Amino acid sequence: MYTLLVVDDEQYAVDGILEAIDWPSVGVTFTYGVNSVREAKEEMQKHPADVIICDIEMAGENGLDFLKWVKDRGYSAKLIFLTAYARFEYAQESVGLGAAEFLIKPIDHELLKSTVRDVLEQYKEEAAVQKRAEEYEKIKKMWEEQLPEFRSRFWLELLERPGLSVEKDSLQEMLALYRIHLKEGRLSMILIHNEWPNLTDEKEIWIQVYRI
């Protein structure tokens, strides 16, 4: 389901993370590791990762440089930083750049596994939010397309039921719902005789009145 990339300039550290943890148990089905930011960039372009575990201190470009690159390229990967030094400025900058977590070496594998599980839960929550947003937009589009018809039905129901009593607040809510704008404080009722000789259907007459 998810892909995980480990970036560390020490191969034993990469191997330890990839081999010591049962990644499929937390939903990670594909893992790979590299030893530099340059290699990480190349792999990301070929196999974008969902979660990246990255050392901060590396020769050449460091983990913070890599995180900036990931964000600039629009990847949605969640990045967990590892560092052997508890430096506040590292933690501050990584959080400011949008890192998911900041862990101190030596890494407890159970803690790392739990952290990745939490990060993947964020993905699920974001996916659920996105799905609701898409469903809302779909319903909104359908409503917009059918709004003219709903307005016509609203007026027809009022006109065909002369004895219908509607509270002022309820009427205002319906007018707002159907985006019908009347002059404030005034609602005029008009009686119009049938002056369209070709119209015999009462509903059609009222539709013509509404269009006027």
Side-chain angles (χ1 to χ4, degrees):
M1 294 174 60
Y2 295 99
T3 298
L4 180 141
L5 168 63
V6 179
V7 186
D8 198 305
D9 56 0
E10 298 177 323
Q11 186 60 43
Y12 76 87
V14 173
D15 294 339
I17 292 173
L18 294 180
E19 298 172 7
I21 297 175
D22 179 14
W23 291 115
S25 68
V26 296
V28 174
T29 55
F30 182 71
T31 61
Y32 56 108
V34 296
N35 301 124
S36 69
V37 169
R38 177 184 60 79
E39 293 176 295
K41 291 178 179 179
E42 293 175 355
E43 290 300 319
M44 279 293 289
Q45 292 177 76
K46 293 186 290 186
H47 309 290
D50 299 302
V51 180
I52 302 170
I53 299 173
C54 184
D55 188 16
I56 286 186
E57 301 91 358
M58 291 184 286
E61 291 183 286
N62 62 28
L64 294 172
D65 296 325
F66 182 46
L67 177 55
K68 292 175 184 176
W69 181 88
V70 168
K71 297 300 181 183
D72 288 344
R73 295 303 186 283
Y75 291 110
S76 60
K78 308 289 187 184
L79 201 145
I80 299 170
F81 272 132
L82 309 180
T83 180
Y85 307 97
R87 293 175 57 179
F88 173 74
E89 56 268 32
Y90 276 165
Q92 184 180 41
E93 188 171 358
S94 66
V95 171
L97 290 171
E101 191 55 83
F102 184 90
L103 302 177
I104 306 298
K105 291 181 175 181
I107 300 301
D108 178 279
H109 288 154
E110 284 303 314
L111 173 60
L112 181 56
K113 180 180 178 180
S114 175
T115 301
V116 171
R117 182 187 292 111
D118 292 342
V119 167
L120 295 180
E121 283 299 318
Q122 292 178 27
Y123 266 116
K124 295 176 183 178
E125 292 172 3
E126 290 170 1
V129 170
Q130 179 63 28
K131 183 178 180 180
R132 288 196 294 270
E134 290 174 355
E135 290 175 347
Y136 169 78
E137 288 300 322
K138 182 179 179 180
I139 294 172
K140 181 181 177 182
K141 182 179 179 182
M142 293 173 59
W143 171 261
E144 296 286 349
E145 291 173 348
Q146 299 183 51
L147 188 56
E149 176 64 21
F150 290 149
R151 288 196 189 109
S152 295
R153 292 183 182 181
F154 166 73
W155 285 118
L156 287 173
E157 183 175 353
L158 287 181
L159 295 169
E160 290 179 342
R161 299 171 63 183
L164 180 65
S165 176
V166 181
E167 295 292 333
K168 179 181 178 181
D169 290 344
S170 297
L171 181 59
Q172 290 178 337
E173 289 177 3
M174 287 187 286
L175 292 174
L177 176 64
Y178 297 120
R179 299 180 191 173
I180 299 171
H181 304 289
L182 301 176
K183 290 184 179 179
E184 186 176 355
R186 298 188 63 185
L187 178 60
S188 301
M189 300 302 294
I190 305 172
L191 177 62
I192 299 179
H193 294 285
N194 182 357
E195 296 180 356
W196 295 291
N198 296 326
L199 295 178
T200 57
D201 183 85
E202 185 177 2
K203 290 185 178 181
E204 184 63 22
I205 294 173
W206 284 118
I207 290 175
Q208 298 300 331
V209 171
Y210 171 64
R211 287 174 179 170
I212 292 175

mmCIF file of all heavy atoms in Angstrom, residues 22-49:
data_model
loop_
_atom_site.group_PDB
_atom_site.id
_atom_site.type_symbol
_atom_site.label_atom_id
_atom_site.label_comp_id
_atom_site.label_asym_id
_atom_site.label_seq_id
_atom_site.Cartn_x
_atom_site.Cartn_y
_atom_site.Cartn_z
ATOM 1 N N ASP A 22 9.398 -5.063 10.866
ATOM 2 C CA ASP A 22 8.420 -5.755 10.007
ATOM 3 C C ASP A 22 7.533 -4.694 9.359
ATOM 4 O O ASP A 22 6.450 -4.382 9.853
ATOM 5 C CB ASP A 22 7.591 -6.722 10.859
ATOM 6 C CG ASP A 22 6.538 -7.458 10.033
ATOM 7 O OD1 ASP A 22 6.634 -7.425 8.785
ATOM 8 O OD2 ASP A 22 5.619 -8.047 10.639
ATOM 9 N N TRP A 23 7.977 -4.158 8.250
ATOM 10 C CA TRP A 23 7.273 -3.051 7.611
ATOM 11 C C TRP A 23 5.888 -3.421 7.071
ATOM 12 O O TRP A 23 4.953 -2.622 7.174
ATOM 13 C CB TRP A 23 8.133 -2.430 6.517
ATOM 14 C CG TRP A 23 9.318 -1.704 7.068
ATOM 15 C CD1 TRP A 23 10.640 -2.010 6.905
ATOM 16 C CD2 TRP A 23 9.284 -0.554 7.927
ATOM 17 N NE1 TRP A 23 11.434 -1.124 7.596
ATOM 18 C CE2 TRP A 23 10.622 -0.215 8.226
ATOM 19 C CE3 TRP A 23 8.266 0.216 8.471
ATOM 20 C CZ2 TRP A 23 10.958 0.863 9.034
ATOM 21 C CZ3 TRP A 23 8.587 1.293 9.279
ATOM 22 C CH2 TRP A 23 9.912 1.598 9.556
ATOM 23 N N PRO A 24 5.699 -4.588 6.490
ATOM 24 C CA PRO A 24 4.341 -4.940 6.020
ATOM 25 C C PRO A 24 3.289 -4.903 7.122
ATOM 26 O O PRO A 24 2.113 -4.660 6.852
ATOM 27 C CB PRO A 24 4.523 -6.354 5.453
ATOM 28 C CG PRO A 24 5.943 -6.386 5.004
ATOM 29 C CD PRO A 24 6.685 -5.603 6.051
ATOM 30 N N SER A 25 3.705 -5.106 8.370
ATOM 31 C CA SER A 25 2.743 -5.110 9.479
ATOM 32 C C SER A 25 2.134 -3.738 9.732
ATOM 33 O O SER A 25 1.094 -3.626 10.389
ATOM 34 C CB SER A 25 3.401 -5.625 10.756
ATOM 35 O OG SER A 25 4.375 -4.706 11.236
ATOM 36 N N VAL A 26 2.788 -2.676 9.229
ATOM 37 C CA VAL A 26 2.227 -1.325 9.405
ATOM 38 C C VAL A 26 1.694 -0.775 8.087
ATOM 39 O O VAL A 26 1.324 0.404 8.013
ATOM 40 C CB VAL A 26 3.270 -0.358 10.016
ATOM 41 C CG1 VAL A 26 3.651 -0.796 11.408
ATOM 42 C CG2 VAL A 26 4.501 -0.229 9.122
ATOM 43 N N GLY A 27 1.695 -1.620 7.035
ATOM 44 C CA GLY A 27 1.119 -1.184 5.769
ATOM 45 C C GLY A 27 2.120 -0.757 4.715
ATOM 46 O O GLY A 27 1.726 -0.283 3.645
ATOM 47 N N VAL A 28 3.419 -0.913 5.003
ATOM 48 C CA VAL A 28 4.454 -0.563 4.023
ATOM 49 C C VAL A 28 4.792 -1.800 3.203
ATOM 50 O O VAL A 28 5.223 -2.816 3.752
ATOM 51 C CB VAL A 28 5.731 -0.036 4.711
ATOM 52 C CG1 VAL A 28 6.840 0.189 3.690
ATOM 53 C CG2 VAL A 28 5.428 1.254 5.462
ATOM 54 N N THR A 29 4.589 -1.728 1.913
ATOM 55 C CA THR A 29 4.792 -2.902 1.058
ATOM 56 C C THR A 29 6.060 -2.822 0.209
ATOM 57 O O THR A 29 6.485 -3.823 -0.363
ATOM 58 C CB THR A 29 3.589 -3.094 0.119
ATOM 59 O OG1 THR A 29 3.383 -1.889 -0.626
ATOM 60 C CG2 THR A 29 2.339 -3.417 0.909
ATOM 61 N N PHE A 30 6.666 -1.638 0.109
ATOM 62 C CA PHE A 30 7.879 -1.503 -0.695
ATOM 63 C C PHE A 30 8.851 -0.591 0.029
ATOM 64 O O PHE A 30 8.480 0.515 0.442
ATOM 65 C CB PHE A 30 7.554 -0.924 -2.075
ATOM 66 C CG PHE A 30 8.752 -0.792 -2.973
ATOM 67 C CD1 PHE A 30 9.368 -1.908 -3.510
ATOM 68 C CD2 PHE A 30 9.267 0.465 -3.274
ATOM 69 C CE1 PHE A 30 10.490 -1.783 -4.335
ATOM 70 C CE2 PHE A 30 10.378 0.598 -4.097
ATOM 71 C CZ PHE A 30 10.993 -0.533 -4.628
ATOM 72 N N THR A 31 10.075 -1.057 0.241
ATOM 73 C CA THR A 31 11.091 -0.259 0.920
ATOM 74 C C THR A 31 12.376 -0.226 0.093
ATOM 75 O O THR A 31 12.693 -1.187 -0.623
ATOM 76 C CB THR A 31 11.422 -0.845 2.308
ATOM 77 O OG1 THR A 31 11.941 -2.182 2.143
ATOM 78 C CG2 THR A 31 10.193 -0.881 3.200
ATOM 79 N N TYR A 32 13.099 0.860 0.182
ATOM 80 C CA TYR A 32 14.405 0.946 -0.458
ATOM 81 C C TYR A 32 15.227 2.000 0.260
ATOM 82 O O TYR A 32 14.693 2.862 0.962
ATOM 83 C CB TYR A 32 14.295 1.255 -1.949
ATOM 84 C CG TYR A 32 13.535 2.508 -2.322
ATOM 85 C CD1 TYR A 32 14.202 3.628 -2.799
ATOM 86 C CD2 TYR A 32 12.142 2.568 -2.223
ATOM 87 C CE1 TYR A 32 13.523 4.771 -3.177
ATOM 88 C CE2 TYR A 32 11.455 3.714 -2.589
ATOM 89 C CZ TYR A 32 12.149 4.814 -3.061
ATOM 90 O OH TYR A 32 11.463 5.941 -3.417
ATOM 91 N N GLY A 33 16.565 1.905 0.120
ATOM 92 C CA GLY A 33 17.445 2.823 0.820
ATOM 93 C C GLY A 33 18.558 3.338 -0.059
ATOM 94 O O GLY A 33 18.985 2.670 -1.012
ATOM 95 N N VAL A 34 19.047 4.541 0.251
ATOM 96 C CA VAL A 34 20.162 5.161 -0.478
ATOM 97 C C VAL A 34 21.081 5.832 0.531
ATOM 98 O O VAL A 34 20.733 5.997 1.703
ATOM 99 C CB VAL A 34 19.653 6.197 -1.508
ATOM 100 C CG1 VAL A 34 18.827 5.524 -2.587
ATOM 101 C CG2 VAL A 34 18.843 7.294 -0.822
ATOM 102 N N ASN A 35 22.285 6.252 0.051
ATOM 103 C CA ASN A 35 23.303 6.797 0.953
ATOM 104 C C ASN A 35 23.615 8.273 0.749
ATOM 105 O O ASN A 35 24.587 8.776 1.311
ATOM 106 C CB ASN A 35 24.594 5.988 0.809
ATOM 107 C CG ASN A 35 24.401 4.522 1.121
ATOM 108 O OD1 ASN A 35 24.703 3.659 0.294
ATOM 109 N ND2 ASN A 35 23.872 4.213 2.295
ATOM 110 N N SER A 36 22.798 8.961 -0.056
ATOM 111 C CA SER A 36 23.044 10.393 -0.252
ATOM 112 C C SER A 36 21.768 11.071 -0.732
ATOM 113 O O SER A 36 20.845 10.420 -1.235
ATOM 114 C CB SER A 36 24.161 10.617 -1.282
ATOM 115 O OG SER A 36 23.717 10.239 -2.585
ATOM 116 N N VAL A 37 21.741 12.387 -0.590
ATOM 117 C CA VAL A 37 20.594 13.164 -1.052
ATOM 118 C C VAL A 37 20.498 13.086 -2.575
ATOM 119 O O VAL A 37 19.401 13.026 -3.134
ATOM 120 C CB VAL A 37 20.707 14.630 -0.582
ATOM 121 C CG1 VAL A 37 19.667 15.502 -1.271
ATOM 122 C CG2 VAL A 37 20.540 14.715 0.938
ATOM 123 N N ARG A 38 21.637 13.077 -3.236
ATOM 124 C CA ARG A 38 21.631 12.975 -4.703
ATOM 125 C C ARG A 38 20.912 11.700 -5.150
ATOM 126 O O ARG A 38 20.049 11.740 -6.040
ATOM 127 C CB ARG A 38 23.059 12.982 -5.242
ATOM 128 C CG ARG A 38 23.142 12.815 -6.761
ATOM 129 C CD ARG A 38 24.588 12.721 -7.228
ATOM 130 N NE ARG A 38 25.268 11.589 -6.627
ATOM 131 C CZ ARG A 38 25.128 10.325 -7.052
ATOM 132 N NH1 ARG A 38 24.317 10.047 -8.068
ATOM 133 N NH2 ARG A 38 25.789 9.349 -6.468
ATOM 134 N N GLU A 39 21.258 10.557 -4.518
ATOM 135 C CA GLU A 39 20.607 9.298 -4.866
ATOM 136 C C GLU A 39 19.124 9.321 -4.497
ATOM 137 O O GLU A 39 18.287 8.784 -5.225
ATOM 138 C CB GLU A 39 21.296 8.145 -4.138
ATOM 139 C CG GLU A 39 22.712 7.868 -4.581
ATOM 140 C CD GLU A 39 23.349 6.774 -3.751
ATOM 141 O OE1 GLU A 39 23.547 6.999 -2.535
ATOM 142 O OE2 GLU A 39 23.637 5.697 -4.308
ATOM 143 N N ALA A 40 18.825 9.959 -3.376
ATOM 144 C CA ALA A 40 17.432 10.037 -2.926
ATOM 145 C C ALA A 40 16.574 10.782 -3.945
ATOM 146 O O ALA A 40 15.445 10.381 -4.252
ATOM 147 C CB ALA A 40 17.355 10.723 -1.571
ATOM 148 N N LYS A 41 17.122 11.871 -4.490
ATOM 149 C CA LYS A 41 16.392 12.639 -5.496
ATOM 150 C C LYS A 41 16.139 11.795 -6.744
ATOM 151 O O LYS A 41 15.032 11.804 -7.306
ATOM 152 C CB LYS A 41 17.170 13.892 -5.874
ATOM 153 C CG LYS A 41 17.244 14.945 -4.780
ATOM 154 C CD LYS A 41 18.090 16.125 -5.235
ATOM 155 C CE LYS A 41 18.167 17.196 -4.173
ATOM 156 N NZ LYS A 41 19.015 18.348 -4.605
ATOM 157 N N GLU A 42 17.147 11.053 -7.152
ATOM 158 C CA GLU A 42 17.005 10.204 -8.334
ATOM 159 C C GLU A 42 15.934 9.139 -8.114
ATOM 160 O O GLU A 42 15.097 8.890 -8.993
ATOM 161 C CB GLU A 42 18.348 9.538 -8.660
ATOM 162 C CG GLU A 42 19.421 10.513 -9.120
ATOM 163 C CD GLU A 42 20.767 9.833 -9.303
ATOM 164 O OE1 GLU A 42 20.886 8.629 -8.976
ATOM 165 O OE2 GLU A 42 21.716 10.507 -9.760
ATOM 166 N N GLU A 43 15.946 8.523 -6.935
ATOM 167 C CA GLU A 43 14.968 7.467 -6.644
ATOM 168 C C GLU A 43 13.555 8.027 -6.499
ATOM 169 O O GLU A 43 12.584 7.395 -6.921
ATOM 170 C CB GLU A 43 15.368 6.712 -5.368
ATOM 171 C CG GLU A 43 16.600 5.846 -5.518
ATOM 172 C CD GLU A 43 16.429 4.785 -6.586
ATOM 173 O OE1 GLU A 43 15.338 4.186 -6.672
ATOM 174 O OE2 GLU A 43 17.380 4.547 -7.353
ATOM 175 N N MET A 44 13.451 9.197 -5.925
ATOM 176 C CA MET A 44 12.126 9.808 -5.759
ATOM 177 C C MET A 44 11.483 10.085 -7.109
ATOM 178 O O MET A 44 10.255 9.980 -7.262
ATOM 179 C CB MET A 44 12.228 11.102 -4.958
ATOM 180 C CG MET A 44 12.307 10.915 -3.456
ATOM 181 S SD MET A 44 10.773 10.242 -2.732
ATOM 182 C CE MET A 44 9.679 11.646 -2.904
ATOM 183 N N GLN A 45 12.280 10.447 -8.091
ATOM 184 C CA GLN A 45 11.735 10.728 -9.409
ATOM 185 C C GLN A 45 11.298 9.453 -10.129
ATOM 186 O O GLN A 45 10.407 9.484 -10.974
ATOM 187 C CB GLN A 45 12.783 11.477 -10.246
ATOM 188 C CG GLN A 45 13.054 12.885 -9.713
ATOM 189 C CD GLN A 45 14.133 13.616 -10.480
ATOM 190 O OE1 GLN A 45 13.902 14.102 -11.588
ATOM 191 N NE2 GLN A 45 15.327 13.696 -9.915
ATOM 192 N N LYS A 46 11.907 8.327 -9.753
ATOM 193 C CA LYS A 46 11.531 7.045 -10.353
ATOM 194 C C LYS A 46 10.465 6.327 -9.538
ATOM 195 O O LYS A 46 9.525 5.745 -10.096
ATOM 196 C CB LYS A 46 12.776 6.146 -10.487
ATOM 197 C CG LYS A 46 13.802 6.655 -11.484
ATOM 198 C CD LYS A 46 14.933 5.668 -11.671
ATOM 199 C CE LYS A 46 15.816 5.578 -10.433
ATOM 200 N NZ LYS A 46 17.003 4.713 -10.660
ATOM 201 N N HIS A 47 10.600 6.367 -8.211
ATOM 202 C CA HIS A 47 9.671 5.665 -7.323
ATOM 203 C C HIS A 47 9.317 6.584 -6.151
ATOM 204 O O HIS A 47 9.920 6.461 -5.070
ATOM 205 C CB HIS A 47 10.290 4.369 -6.784
ATOM 206 C CG HIS A 47 10.871 3.474 -7.830
ATOM 207 N ND1 HIS A 47 10.088 2.780 -8.727
ATOM 208 C CD2 HIS A 47 12.161 3.179 -8.129
ATOM 209 C CE1 HIS A 47 10.869 2.081 -9.526
ATOM 210 N NE2 HIS A 47 12.128 2.298 -9.199
ATOM 211 N N PRO A 48 8.398 7.523 -6.320
ATOM 212 C CA PRO A 48 8.045 8.439 -5.232
ATOM 213 C C PRO A 48 7.641 7.687 -3.963
ATOM 214 O O PRO A 48 6.822 6.768 -4.013
ATOM 215 C CB PRO A 48 6.867 9.226 -5.808
ATOM 216 C CG PRO A 48 7.060 9.145 -7.286
ATOM 217 C CD PRO A 48 7.618 7.776 -7.537
ATOM 218 N N ALA A 49 8.243 8.066 -2.844
ATOM 219 C CA ALA A 49 7.948 7.414 -1.567
ATOM 220 C C ALA A 49 6.842 8.148 -0.826
ATOM 221 O O ALA A 49 6.671 9.358 -0.971
ATOM 222 C CB ALA A 49 9.210 7.371 -0.712
#
